[in-house]
Amino acid sequence: MSRPTSWHRTTLDRIPGGRDGRRMLLVSIIDKTGTGLWAGCTALYFTYVSGLGLGQVGLLMTVSGGVGIAGAPLAGRLADRLPLVRVIAGAQVMRGAALLALLTTDNFLLLTLYSALGALPDRAGSVLIKLYAARLAGPDRVRYQAIQRTTVNIGWSIGGLGAAAALATGSTHAYALLLVGNVLTYLVIAVLTLRCAEPPAPSRVAATAADAPKSRPANPWRDRTFLAYTATEAVLFLDDTILQVAVPLWIVHATAAPVGLAPLLLVLNTVLVVLFQVPLARFGATTQAARRLLVPLAGLFVIGTLALAASATGGRALAITALCAAVVALTFAEIIHATASWELSVALAPGEAQGAYLGVHGLAHSTQRFAGPLLVTGVMAAGPLAWPVLGLALVGAGAAQHRLIRDRITKAAQPSLSVPAVTVSEH
């Protein structure tokens, strides 16, 4: 695979946030390398090492996923009140401790408790990193997030390859080693995070201003427009579940394509994200531009779901071609939606409650991860024609969001709702 142009030295030298920005990117790649080691074998660990049955594993993962939904809003609220760097480091240590605790017991209830405790900081991680990017990179936050997402995909790939090599040994001890390896990455990134400078928080900047009025910060739970926006986001994030869960199952149960195509399509998804996330980020660098991206996003959803439906209507050649087209379309939908979501979620959040708002926005992705698999498996059970229906639902969610935020865009562009220029840190 050719080296992405986004990683040329000149680009790396211009990473927003200077030294601290580069250090946090290193944190991200180590984090996801460790997660990649463990994520693919989590269910297998509970089966072969802990001795749980299939139903117990399913219930454990469902419960921990449901509890994890609360992680994003809790972390966002903490980040408005405490130094962000310490909150991020604390979350990393908590993830490591909860994971390490799995080695101490085979009891189903304790394993469920530890998994749930680990899911809270795990789901909070992306929100905290987005908040750090918003405070550190300022107007360049979308580009920084694009670079960060590229490093995440590289880390996932490295970790996944390491896990595959370890599991190929056929030893049950490999599962414990992968778990410990992930724990060690959490400790490393906690130390690296604490070496990053604390970016100025809009909430504290406002609070220390001499003429700042003493008023309560905005509450996202009372902001109906933002809550409705978050609800549409939960629907639009379904591209992730379609790609990660539905496509492999659809290949096996509904098409004539070979089973070996499934991992190749996941590789295709990763490569496309690495190659195009950063270059396409420039199309969502402003709030208005990010809103306009919702239009091509709708078209990509239509193409992707129609291709999935077509993949079940013919032989092997048609199935392979249609599935490749579906994954390409849905991957570009993933890239475009991520770009728009980064900008809009920050721009619509008042500075004095930025953490709380982004925490609530984080519920969209957590909810999708929890409920998405059930939804897409229901779609698959309904047959090929259900895919275009889901595509129309995704288009409807995008159209609703496009209309919903129209009146807030102008306000979001005002200085009072933007990240102050002092948040840009160059060293």
Side-chain angles (χ1 to χ4, degrees), residues 12 25 33 35 39 48 76 80 106 122 128 149 198 246 251-252 256 282 287 297 302 320 345 351 384 396:
L12 286 172
L25 291 178
T33 298
T35 304
Y48 294 117
D80 279 335
D106 292 334
D122 183 68
L128 293 172
R149 192 164 189 261
E198 176 71 21
I251 289 173
V252 173
R282 68 180 185 272
T287 309
L297 176 64
V302 170
I320 293 174
S345 59

Side-chain angles (χ1 to χ4, degrees), residues 78 225 236 262 407:
L78 282 174
T225 299
L236 295 179
D407 296 336

